Coordinates of all heavy atoms in Angstrom, one line a residue:
R1371 N -12.7 -27.8 -38.1 CA -13.7 -27.5 -39.1 C -13.2 -27.8 -40.5 O -12.1 -27.5 -40.8 CB -14.2 -26.0 -38.9 CG -14.7 -25.7 -37.6 CD -15.2 -24.3 -37.5 NE -14.1 -23.4 -37.8 CZ -14.3 -22.1 -37.8 NH1 -15.5 -21.6 -37.7 NH2 -13.2 -21.3 -38.0
R1372 N -14.2 -28.2 -41.3 CA -13.8 -28.3 -42.7 C -13.7 -26.9 -43.4 O -14.6 -26.1 -43.2 CB -15.0 -29.1 -43.5 CG -14.7 -29.3 -44.9 CD -13.8 -30.5 -45.1 NE -13.6 -30.8 -46.5 CZ -13.0 -32.0 -46.9 NH1 -12.6 -32.8 -46.0 NH2 -12.8 -32.2 -48.2
A1373 N -12.6 -26.7 -44.1 CA -12.4 -25.4 -44.7 C -13.2 -25.3 -46.0 O -13.3 -26.2 -46.7 CB -10.9 -25.2 -45.0
S1374 N -13.8 -24.2 -46.2 CA -14.5 -23.9 -47.4 C -13.6 -23.8 -48.6 O -12.5 -23.1 -48.5 CB -15.3 -22.6 -47.2 OG -15.9 -22.2 -48.5
T1375 N -13.9 -24.4 -49.7 CA -13.1 -24.3 -50.8 C -13.0 -22.9 -51.4 O -12.2 -22.6 -52.3 CB -13.5 -25.3 -51.9 OG1 -14.9 -25.0 -52.2 CG2 -13.4 -26.7 -51.5
S1376 N -14.0 -22.0 -51.0 CA -13.9 -20.6 -51.5 C -13.0 -19.8 -50.7 O -12.7 -18.6 -51.1 CB -15.4 -20.0 -51.4 OG -15.8 -20.0 -50.1
H1377 N -12.6 -20.3 -49.5 CA -11.6 -19.5 -48.7 C -10.2 -19.5 -49.3 O -9.7 -20.6 -49.7 CB -11.6 -20.1 -47.3 CG -10.9 -19.2 -46.3 ND1 -9.6 -19.0 -46.2 CD2 -11.5 -18.4 -45.3 CE1 -9.3 -18.2 -45.3 NE2 -10.4 -17.7 -44.7
P1378 N -9.5 -18.4 -49.4 CA -8.3 -18.4 -50.1 C -7.2 -19.3 -49.4 O -6.3 -19.8 -50.1 CB -7.9 -16.9 -50.1 CG -8.7 -16.3 -49.0 CD -10.0 -17.1 -49.0
R1379 N -7.3 -19.4 -48.1 CA -6.3 -20.3 -47.4 C -6.9 -21.7 -47.2 O -6.2 -22.5 -46.7 CB -6.0 -19.6 -46.1 CG -5.2 -18.4 -46.2 CD -4.7 -17.9 -44.8 NE -3.9 -18.9 -44.2 CZ -3.5 -18.9 -42.9 NH1 -4.0 -18.0 -42.2 NH2 -2.8 -19.8 -42.4
G1380 N -8.2 -21.9 -47.5 CA -8.8 -23.2 -47.2 C -8.8 -24.0 -48.4 O -9.2 -25.2 -48.3
A1381 N -8.5 -23.5 -49.6 CA -8.6 -24.4 -50.8 C -7.6 -25.6 -50.6 O -6.5 -25.4 -50.2 CB -8.2 -23.6 -52.0
C1382 N -8.1 -26.8 -51.0 CA -7.2 -27.9 -50.9 C -6.1 -27.9 -51.8 O -6.2 -27.6 -53.0 CB -8.1 -29.2 -51.1 SG -7.2 -30.7 -51.1
Q1383 N -4.9 -28.2 -51.3 CA -3.7 -28.2 -52.1 C -3.1 -29.6 -52.2 O -1.9 -29.8 -52.5 CB -2.7 -27.2 -51.5 CG -3.2 -25.8 -51.5 CD -3.4 -25.3 -52.9 OE1 -2.7 -25.5 -53.8 NE2 -4.5 -24.5 -53.1
G1384 N -3.9 -30.6 -51.9 CA -3.4 -32.0 -52.0 C -2.3 -32.3 -51.1 O -2.2 -31.8 -50.0
A1387 N 0.0 -29.6 -49.4 CA -0.5 -28.7 -48.4 C 0.4 -28.4 -47.3 O 0.6 -27.3 -46.8 CB -1.9 -29.2 -47.9
A1388 N 1.0 -29.5 -46.7 CA 1.9 -29.3 -45.6 C 3.2 -28.5 -45.9 O 3.8 -27.9 -45.1 CB 2.3 -30.7 -45.0
D1390 N 3.4 -25.9 -48.4 CA 3.2 -24.5 -48.6 C 2.5 -23.9 -47.4 O 2.3 -22.6 -47.4 CB 2.5 -24.2 -49.9 CG 1.1 -24.9 -50.0 OD1 0.6 -25.2 -48.9 OD2 0.7 -25.2 -51.1
G1391 N 2.0 -24.6 -46.5 CA 1.3 -24.1 -45.3 C 0.0 -23.5 -45.6 O -0.6 -22.8 -44.7
A1392 N -0.6 -23.6 -46.8 CA -1.9 -23.0 -47.1 C -3.0 -23.7 -46.5 O -3.9 -23.1 -45.9 CB -2.1 -23.0 -48.6
A1393 N -3.0 -25.1 -46.4 CA -4.0 -25.8 -45.8 C -3.5 -27.2 -45.5 O -2.4 -27.6 -46.0 CB -5.3 -25.9 -46.7
L1394 N -4.2 -28.0 -44.7 CA -3.9 -29.3 -44.4 C -5.0 -30.2 -44.9 O -6.0 -30.4 -44.2 CB -3.6 -29.5 -42.9 CG -2.4 -28.8 -42.3 CD1 -2.4 -28.9 -40.8 CD2 -1.1 -29.4 -42.9
G1395 N -4.8 -30.7 -46.1 CA -5.8 -31.7 -46.6 C -7.2 -31.1 -46.7 O -8.1 -31.8 -46.4
G1396 N -7.3 -29.8 -47.0 CA -8.6 -29.2 -47.1 C -9.1 -28.7 -45.7 O -10.2 -28.1 -45.7
Y1397 N -8.3 -28.7 -44.7 CA -8.7 -28.1 -43.4 C -7.8 -27.0 -43.1 O -6.6 -27.1 -43.3 CB -8.6 -29.2 -42.3 CG -9.6 -30.2 -42.4 CD1 -9.4 -31.3 -43.3 CD2 -10.9 -30.2 -41.8 CE1 -10.4 -32.3 -43.4 CE2 -11.8 -31.1 -41.9 CZ -11.6 -32.2 -42.8 OH -12.5 -33.1 -42.9
R1398 N -8.4 -25.9 -42.5 CA -7.5 -24.7 -42.2 C -6.5 -25.1 -41.2 O -6.8 -25.7 -40.2 CB -8.4 -23.6 -41.8 CG -9.3 -23.0 -42.8 CD -10.0 -21.8 -42.3 NE -11.3 -21.7 -42.9 CZ -12.2 -20.8 -42.4 NH1 -11.9 -20.1 -41.4 NH2 -13.4 -20.7 -43.0
R1399 N -5.3 -24.5 -41.3 CA -4.2 -24.8 -40.4 C -4.7 -24.3 -39.0 O -4.5 -25.0 -38.0 CB -3.0 -24.1 -40.8 CG -1.9 -24.0 -39.7 CD -0.7 -23.2 -40.2 NE -0.1 -23.8 -41.3 CZ 1.0 -24.6 -41.2 NH1 1.4 -25.0 -40.0 NH2 1.6 -25.1 -42.2
N1400 N -5.2 -23.0 -38.9 CA -5.5 -22.5 -37.6 C -6.7 -23.1 -36.9 O -7.0 -22.8 -35.8 CB -5.8 -21.0 -37.8 CG -4.6 -20.2 -38.1 OD1 -3.5 -20.7 -37.9 ND2 -4.7 -19.0 -38.5
D1401 N -7.4 -24.0 -37.6 CA -8.6 -24.7 -37.0 C -8.1 -25.8 -36.1 O -9.0 -26.2 -35.3 CB -9.6 -25.2 -38.0 CG -10.4 -24.1 -38.7 OD1 -10.4 -23.0 -38.1 OD2 -10.9 -24.3 -39.7
V1452 N -6.0 -35.5 -38.8 CA -6.5 -34.7 -39.9 C -5.8 -35.1 -41.2 O -6.4 -35.3 -42.2 CB -6.2 -33.2 -39.6 CG1 -6.5 -32.4 -40.9 CG2 -7.0 -32.7 -38.5
A1456 N -8.2 -36.8 -44.1 CA -8.6 -35.9 -45.1 C -8.7 -36.6 -46.5 O -7.9 -37.4 -46.8 CB -7.7 -34.7 -45.2
V1457 N -9.6 -36.2 -47.3 CA -9.8 -36.7 -48.7 C -9.1 -35.7 -49.6 O -9.5 -34.6 -49.7 CB -11.3 -36.8 -49.1 CG1 -11.3 -37.3 -50.5 CG2 -12.0 -37.8 -48.1
H1458 N -7.9 -36.1 -50.2 CA -7.2 -35.2 -51.0 C -7.8 -35.2 -52.4 O -8.0 -36.2 -53.0 CB -5.7 -35.7 -51.1 CG -5.1 -35.8 -49.7 ND1 -4.8 -34.6 -49.0 CD2 -4.6 -36.8 -49.0 CE1 -4.2 -35.0 -47.9 NE2 -4.1 -36.3 -47.9
R1459 N -8.0 -34.0 -52.8 CA -8.5 -33.8 -54.2 C -7.4 -33.3 -55.1 O -6.5 -32.7 -54.7 CB -9.7 -32.8 -54.1 CG -10.9 -33.2 -53.3 CD -11.9 -32.1 -53.2 NE -11.3 -31.1 -52.3 CZ -12.0 -30.0 -51.9 NH1 -13.2 -29.8 -52.3 NH2 -11.5 -29.2 -51.1
P1460 N -7.6 -33.7 -56.4 CA -6.5 -33.2 -57.3 C -6.5 -31.7 -57.5 O -7.5 -31.0 -57.2 CB -7.0 -33.9 -58.6 CG -8.4 -34.1 -58.5 CD -8.6 -34.3 -57.0
Q1462 N -6.6 -28.1 -59.0 CA -7.5 -27.6 -60.0 C -6.6 -26.9 -61.1 O -5.5 -26.5 -60.9 CB -8.4 -26.5 -59.4 CG -9.4 -27.1 -58.4 CD -10.2 -26.1 -57.7 OE1 -9.8 -24.9 -57.7 NE2 -11.4 -26.4 -57.3
H1468 N -12.7 -21.2 -58.1 CA -12.9 -22.0 -57.0 C -14.4 -22.2 -56.7 O -15.1 -21.3 -56.8 CB -12.2 -21.4 -55.8 CG -10.7 -21.3 -55.9 ND1 -9.9 -22.5 -55.9 CD2 -9.9 -20.3 -56.0 CE1 -8.7 -22.1 -56.0 NE2 -8.6 -20.8 -56.1

Side-chain angles (χ1 to χ4, degrees):
R1371 298 183 299 176
R1372 183 79 177 189
S1374 170
T1375 55
S1376 62
H1377 194 282
R1379 291 187 60 193
C1382 178
Q1383 298 298 320
D1390 57 26
L1394 290 174
Y1397 291 84
R1398 293 187 213 167
R1399 170 186 293 271
N1400 287 346
D1401 285 344
V1452 171
V1457 179
H1458 300 293
R1459 291 173 293 183
Q1462 293 177 336
H1468 292 293

